[in-house]
Amino acid sequence: ALVTLLNEDDGYACKKAAGAIGALCSGCVANQDYVNKSNGIVRLIELLGPKLSGDEVRAEAAGTLAILTRSNKTNQDKMAQEGGIAPLVALLQEGTAEEVECTAAALWSLVGGGADYDNHFENQVAIADAGGIKPLVAVLGLNAQVQEQAGGALAALALNNEQNVASIAKLIVSLLGSADGSVASKAARAISRLAQAGSTNQVAISKAGGVELLVVLLDKAGIFDSSGSVSLSAETPENKSSETESSRG
């Protein structure tokens, strides 16, 4: 009945049905598989289209697709086979903050591993081929929630995939050189997450010039003194107090 409601013309009904399906399928493989067999994944993909539903419906549909495909290779395969990757990538570039957050979560789920596999390599390649990496990097600075999902998606896309690792590292490192300090700061956090995911990522970040740019950021922040050592002289209240007392003496 819930899957049938996804066919309603009423956006509110579709949103509520998608939300209920997500709640029922969270952590329940049997329900995830049932929704797939009932053609629910196909209908949810259709709801991602801008002409078929409003912003809130698209966000709910993307969030439910994230739940349906998480660690479920059959549903991950179904999403790709039914053309679900392209509308997700489009939504990343055109959607509201909520849509982008849910879309990034869906892309993360599409490539994430399960109990007997580390990652979905075919979907990693398909998302990269669809142009999904660049917009994921671009939305890292949107807000904390989006950064969490986009960062997770990028790390999953990079796992055991050298070509994706190189592309992701190059794009994120390019943000370190931004004149906007907040963009550079968020890029640094994304690099930290990527680096923690594996040594291959660390090497790729280094090759892309990430280490040098991170040092430049530290230098701009006044972390180093003229000798190249860490400087604490102007950074702590204790040191400032000592300087004041010395000047009095």
Side-chain angles (χ1 to χ4, degrees), residues 80-137:
Q81 291 164 4
E82 296 295 337
I85 291 174
L88 287 174
V89 172
L91 204 52
L92 266 184
Q93 301 170 80
E94 304 165 358
T96 64
E98 184 183 10
E99 287 175 326
V100 169
E101 178 186 348
C102 295
T103 298
L107 290 170
W108 185 356
S109 290
L110 272 173
V111 295
D116 56 352
Y117 63 107
D118 292 331
N119 58 290
H120 197 300
F121 183 81
E122 293 80 9
N123 282 356
Q124 287 179 325
V125 173
I127 291 170
D129 288 347
I133 291 176
K134 188 173 182 178
L136 277 171
V137 172

Side-chain angles (χ1 to χ4, degrees), residues 36-127:
N36 180 20
K37 291 174 183 176
S38 301
N39 219 33
I41 288 178
V42 174
R43 180 53 184 158
L44 286 164
I45 292 171
E46 291 173 348
L47 289 175
L48 297 174
K51 294 181 180 180
L52 297 176
S53 56
D55 296 347
E56 292 184 357
V57 179
R58 287 194 293 271
E60 198 74 61
T64 299
L65 285 167
I67 292 170
L68 288 168
T69 55
R70 188 169 298 136
S71 301
N72 188 318
K73 193 171 187 305
T74 298
N75 288 359
Q76 290 171 336
D77 291 340
K78 183 70 171 180
M79 270 285 291
Q81 291 164 4
E82 296 295 337
I85 291 174
L88 287 174
V89 172
L91 204 52
L92 266 184
Q93 301 170 80
E94 304 165 358
T96 64
E98 184 183 10
E99 287 175 326
V100 169
E101 178 186 348
C102 295
T103 298
L107 290 170
W108 185 356
S109 290
L110 272 173
V111 295
D116 56 352
Y117 63 107
D118 292 331
N119 58 290
H120 197 300
F121 183 81
E122 293 80 9
N123 282 356
Q124 287 179 325
V125 173
I127 291 170

Side-chain angles (χ1 to χ4, degrees), residues 2-21 43-44 47 52-54 56-58 60-61 64:
L2 285 173
V3 172
T4 302
L5 283 176
L6 294 174
N7 295 308
E8 294 289 327
D9 292 330
D10 182 353
Y12 181 79
C14 289
K15 177 189 174 184
K16 291 300 181 182
I21 289 170
R43 180 53 184 158
L44 286 164
L47 289 175
L52 297 176
S53 56
E56 292 184 357
V57 179
R58 287 194 293 271
E60 198 74 61
T64 299

Side-chain angles (χ1 to χ4, degrees), residues 2 11 15 25 30 55 93 124 130 135 137 141 166 173-174 180 186 208 217 220 227 229-230 242:
L2 285 173
K15 177 189 174 184
C25 292
D55 296 347
Q93 301 170 80
Q124 287 179 325
V137 172
V173 167
S174 71
D180 186 334
K186 287 166 183 172
L217 279 179
K220 286 181 178 178
S227 69
S229 301
V230 175
S242 298

